[in-house]
């Protein structure tokens, strides 16, 4: 019976994936490296970093030579469109090494017919005389789009079929290994295929080199999630299924979507530049807020210090900061699952899945690009898991985690200190030397770092009397209303309702007490957000606690049966819809004209 279920799951996964590949190949849009849509990185090399001027479309300058790769194409003729602007010399256009035409100075578009070829891939090169910009860059032309439209269609290339079928088969195998039933394993594979199709559909991304990287990334994540599930099952028999679902969701959201070249990230270049400063020896970076007038505040260093050796090794800074934040988020999701496993595998799994679907979890760190804050949040989650769990590694581990969180970002400093204080108060009757030493040492290390900024912080303190930004024009009531609306939009109404039913009890002790301390410690940061300009993104800091309460609430309602069970399913489905819509908007729409 087990072999039969596995065989049926593999067959269903392969057939569904093959149909998706055919749909993408036959009905998907033509491949286009479009700077306005954010798809140029999936096809191109030789571009300068993206610029995001206010209220304008993204700008992407080329160097003197830029190349575009189009793969898995139907054999035959094709039409090439090149749209560029701002060049001071003629743009020479070549396809497969053969010059096919020129876009002259003053012109912005050129259309070129490409002769038939038996190859399934084509390369396009743009050569343009570069000129020196004021910042020292050598600029070629401003890319708008390079599109390739095949003149005929044919059966999907074997490579395209493989890119869809292989991840689906791996998902089915991993699902069966995690003790999902045949239907469950096939469903997991189909979900993976749907996500892959949704990512590769816009602008014909299935024809881009990125499609291969995406398939490898998905397979790697599934194998890693399967290994994690096996490990969790050894700790608690029966936990494998929920562990697999949780970490597959975390990998798709934070490992795949958060690093997608299609997503236009607001502050990625800022963080890459800060990383370069830290790598060059500036260990005390500062930044300026968007207040009027602005604040200058300490920015933190731990995120950049960990990545600096990789930057010196030659890895691109933008890639590093995005990837570093994503990996930290995945590890934090795993830590959250481990610590919540004490409450049950279903609660832990649902909490991690819901965490990926909270708009605040994706918008603040990944879409808006507050990547150092994302690292600080991840370190805070891991610190909480260490504290509420078995304190693995004793006090040195706890102290390092607290210090990493506190020195990642100024918001993370305020959050982790408030959380640590609440946790210490919650355990005030316990004589726990390990946690006490970790707390004292972690705070001491953080204070030693920020002592460099004492003068800067002191100079800004009088401005805390200016009043909260949310109170502008409406007083205290408007400020409180703005925070409540921020919570609903940042978390989602469905998970907020679930969190009420799963709220932790301080007096219950154990994990409940520690989760309640998270709510109290970070929740009190709403007060300075209401009455002063100090904004430490406490709603983002509370997101893991909200997700944990949401998972507990969903399981509790489901266990009641009847209408309560239907309500639990409806609320979880509602959060999936809210989260999915927000993810699609963030990856494909935001920061476009």
């Amino acid at each position: 019976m087990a072999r039969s279920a596995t065989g049926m799951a593999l067959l269903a996964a392969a057939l569904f994936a093959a149909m998706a590949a055919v749909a993408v190949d036959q009905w998907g849009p033509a491949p286009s490296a479009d700077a306005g849509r954010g798809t140029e990185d999936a096809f191109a090399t030789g571009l300068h970093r993206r610029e995001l001027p206010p209220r304008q479309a993204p700008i992407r300058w080329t160097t003197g030579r830029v190349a575009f790769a189009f793969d898995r194409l139907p054999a035959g003729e094709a039409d090439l469109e090149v749209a560029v602007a701002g060049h001071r010399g003629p743009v020479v256009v070549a396809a497969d090494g053969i010059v096919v035409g020129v876009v002259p100075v003053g012109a912005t578009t050129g259309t070129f017919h490409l002769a038939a070829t038996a190859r399934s891939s084509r390369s396009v090169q743009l050569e343009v005389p570069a000129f020196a910009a004021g910042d020292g860059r050598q600029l070629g032309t401003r890319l708008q789009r390079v599109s390739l439209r095949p003149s005929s269609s044919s059966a999907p290339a074997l490579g395209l079929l493989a890119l869809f079928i292989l991840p689906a088969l791996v998902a089915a195998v991993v699902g069966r290994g995690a003790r999902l039933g045949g239907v469950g394993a096939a469903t997991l594979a189909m979900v993976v295929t749907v996500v892959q199709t949704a990512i590769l559909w816009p602008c014909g991304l299935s024809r881009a080199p990125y499609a291969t990287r995406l398939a490898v990334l998905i397979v790697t994540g599934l194998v890693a999630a399967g290994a994690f599930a096996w490990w969790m099952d050894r700790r608690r028999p029966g936990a494998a299924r929920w562990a697999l679902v949780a970490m597959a969701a975390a990998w798709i959201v934070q490992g795949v979507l958060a690093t997608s070249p299609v997503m236009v990230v607001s502050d990625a270049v800022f963080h890459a530049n800060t990383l370069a400063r830290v790598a060059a020896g500036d260990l005390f970076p500062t930044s300026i807020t968007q207040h009027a007038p602005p604040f200058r505040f300490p920015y933190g260093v731990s995120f950049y210090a960990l990545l600096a050796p990789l930057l010196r090794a030659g890895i691109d800074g933008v890639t590093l900061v995005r990837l570093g934040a994503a990996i930290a988020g995945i590890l934090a999701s795993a830590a959250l699952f481990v610590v919540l496993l004490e409450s049950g595998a279903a609660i832990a799994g649902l909490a991690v899945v819901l965490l990926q679907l909270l708009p605040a979890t994706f918008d603040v760190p990944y879409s808006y690009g507050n990547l150092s804050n994302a690292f600080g949040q991840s370190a805070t989650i891991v610190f909480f898991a260490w504290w509420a769990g078995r304190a693995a590694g004793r006090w040195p581990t706890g102290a390092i985690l607290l210090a990493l969180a506190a020195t990642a970002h100024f918001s993370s400093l305020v959050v982790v200190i408030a959380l640590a204080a609440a946790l210490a108060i919650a355990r005030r009757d316990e004589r726990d030397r390990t946690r006490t030493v970790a707390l004292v040492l972690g705070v001491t290390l953080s204070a030693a770092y920020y002592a460099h900024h004492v003068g800067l912080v002191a100079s800004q303190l009088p401005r805390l009397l200016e009043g909260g930004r949310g109170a502008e024009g409406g007083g205290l009531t408007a400020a409180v209303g703005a925070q409540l609306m921020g919570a609903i939009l940042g978390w989602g109404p469905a998970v907020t309702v679930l969190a009420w039913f799963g709220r932790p009890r301080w007096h219950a002790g154990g994990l409940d007490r520690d989760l309640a301390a998270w709510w109290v410690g970070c929740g009190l940061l709403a007060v300075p957000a209401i009455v002063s300009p100090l904004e430490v993104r406490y709603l983002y800091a509370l997101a893991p606690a909200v997700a944990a309460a949401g998972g507990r609430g969903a399981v509790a309602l489901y266990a009641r049966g009847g209408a309560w069970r239907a309500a639990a399913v409806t609320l979880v489905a509602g959060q999936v819809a809210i989260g999915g819509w927000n993810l699609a908007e963030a990856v494909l729409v935001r920061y476009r004209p």
Side-chain angles (χ1 to χ4, degrees):
M1 181 65 71
R3 290 184 179 179
S4 175
T6 300
M8 292 301 295
L10 291 172
L11 179 60
L15 287 176
F16 189 79
M19 289 189 293
V22 171
V24 166
D25 182 79
Q26 298 296 316
W27 300 296
S32 179
D34 191 331
R37 298 284 302 279
T39 59
E40 69 276 17
D41 276 332
F43 295 90
T45 57
L47 300 173
H48 286 289
R49 289 174 176 173
R50 181 181 286 120
E51 301 172 38
L52 294 176
R55 295 179 294 278
Q56 295 182 38
I59 294 175
R60 204 69 191 269
W61 283 96
T62 74
T63 57
R65 185 179 189 278
V66 58
F68 302 84
F70 300 91
D71 301 326
R72 295 170 289 280
L73 297 166
E77 300 176 344
D79 292 316
L80 173 67
E81 181 191 15
V82 176
V84 291
H87 42 283
R88 300 184 182 181
V91 178
V92 179
V93 181
D96 301 322
I98 301 173
V99 175
V100 296
V102 170
V103 180
V105 176
T108 58
T109 59
T111 303
F112 312 95
H113 185 74
L114 306 185
T117 177
R119 296 190 302 272
S120 61
S121 62
R122 288 183 182 267
S123 62
V124 174
Q125 303 84 34
L126 304 183
E127 300 277 356
V128 54
F131 62 93
D135 56 8
R137 292 181 300 166
Q138 292 294 311
L139 305 182
T141 187
R142 203 165 59 242
L143 176 68
Q144 294 178 342
R145 66 184 174 278
V146 172
S147 305
L148 189 69
R149 184 176 298 278
S151 299
S152 60
S153 61
S154 60
L158 292 178
L160 182 62
L161 290 170
L163 287 182
F164 278 84
I165 293 175
L166 181 59
L169 292 177
V170 171
V173 170
V174 169
R176 289 294 289 149
R179 301 181 186 178
L180 289 176
V183 174
T187 301
L188 175 65
M190 291 178 185
V191 169
V192 168
T193 297
V194 168
V195 171
Q196 186 180 12
T197 303
I199 294 173
L200 294 180
W201 186 277
C203 293
L205 291 175
S206 60
R207 317 288 192 185
Y210 168 66
T212 301
R213 302 199 302 271
L214 175 63
V216 171
L217 194 61
I218 291 174
V219 169
T220 301
L222 289 170
V223 172
F228 180 80
W230 173 81
W231 179 41
M232 288 297 98
D233 204 57
R234 289 175 62 88
R235 292 171 62 102
R236 177 176 292 232
R241 291 177 296 175
W242 280 108
L244 175 63
V245 170
M247 294 315 298
W251 188 274
I252 287 172
V253 173
Q254 298 186 87
V256 175
L257 297 181
T259 62
S260 169
V262 179
M263 184 167 68
V264 178
V265 181
S266 173
D267 290 342
V269 173
F270 164 81
H271 289 284
N273 291 336
T274 306
L275 171 59
R277 287 165 48 199
V278 172
D282 180 6
L283 300 181
F284 300 97
T286 61
S287 186
I288 299 176
T289 69
Q290 297 180 358
H291 294 78
F295 283 84
R296 179 173 289 277
F297 67 102
Y299 208 75
V301 74
S302 61
F303 176 57
Y304 309 110
L306 291 173
L307 297 176
L310 297 175
L311 182 72
R312 296 190 192 102
I315 302 177
D316 175 67
V318 171
T319 300
L320 269 180
V321 293
R322 293 186 65 185
L323 190 60
I327 292 174
I330 293 168
L331 294 176
S333 295
L336 186 64
F337 183 93
V338 171
V339 74
L340 293 179
L341 189 58
E342 173 188 323
S343 301
I347 290 175
L350 278 172
V352 172
V353 171
L354 290 173
L355 179 62
Q356 316 310 313
L357 297 172
L358 300 186
T361 299
F362 197 81
D363 290 352
V364 171
Y366 300 121
S367 176
Y368 301 152
N370 204 327
L371 301 171
S372 58
N373 199 3
F375 175 79
Q377 172 89 331
S378 297
T380 301
I381 293 172
V382 179
F383 169 74
F384 174 84
W386 175 88
W387 178 284
R390 301 174 183 177
R394 310 298 293 173
W395 59 263
T397 301
I400 291 171
L401 289 171
L402 193 156
L404 283 174
T407 58
H409 189 277
F410 191 74
S411 289
S412 300
L413 167 69
V414 177
V415 165
V416 76
I417 294 302
L419 173 60
L423 290 171
I425 292 172
R427 290 180 181 252
R428 63 187 180 278
D429 295 330
E430 298 181 10
R431 295 183 178 180
D432 190 334
R433 182 177 180 275
T434 294
R435 290 175 173 81
T436 300
V437 172
L439 197 64
V440 172
L441 183 56
V443 171
T444 300
L445 291 173
S446 304
Y449 174 79
Y450 283 105
H452 179 86
H453 295 293
V454 167
L456 174 61
V457 173
S459 69
Q460 302 293 306
L461 288 178
R463 296 197 53 200
L464 296 181
L465 302 177
E466 292 178 359
R469 283 184 291 168
E472 292 175 359
L476 183 62
T477 301
V480 173
Q483 299 302 318
L484 291 175
M485 183 58 64
I488 293 174
L489 295 177
W491 299 338
V495 80
T496 303
V497 173
L498 288 172
W500 170 259
F501 287 100
R503 62 193 184 279
R505 268 64 172 184
W506 182 283
H507 298 294
L511 182 59
D512 254 61
R513 174 195 53 203
D514 291 328
L515 287 170
W518 197 336
W519 278 96
V520 172
C522 295
L524 286 175
L525 296 177
V527 176
I530 291 171
V531 302
S532 79
L534 182 65
E535 174 57 66
V536 294
R537 298 188 177 92
Y538 72 94
L539 294 173
Y540 173 47
L542 277 170
V546 172
R552 289 158 56 104
V555 171
L557 289 179
Y558 191 87
R560 294 184 185 183
W564 292 106
R565 176 170 296 185
V569 172
T570 300
L571 288 170
V572 171
Q575 190 64 34
V576 171
I578 292 170
W581 180 269
N582 181 74
L583 290 170
E585 195 272 341
V587 174
L588 300 175
V589 178
R590 195 169 296 158
Y591 299 118
R592 274 75 161 184

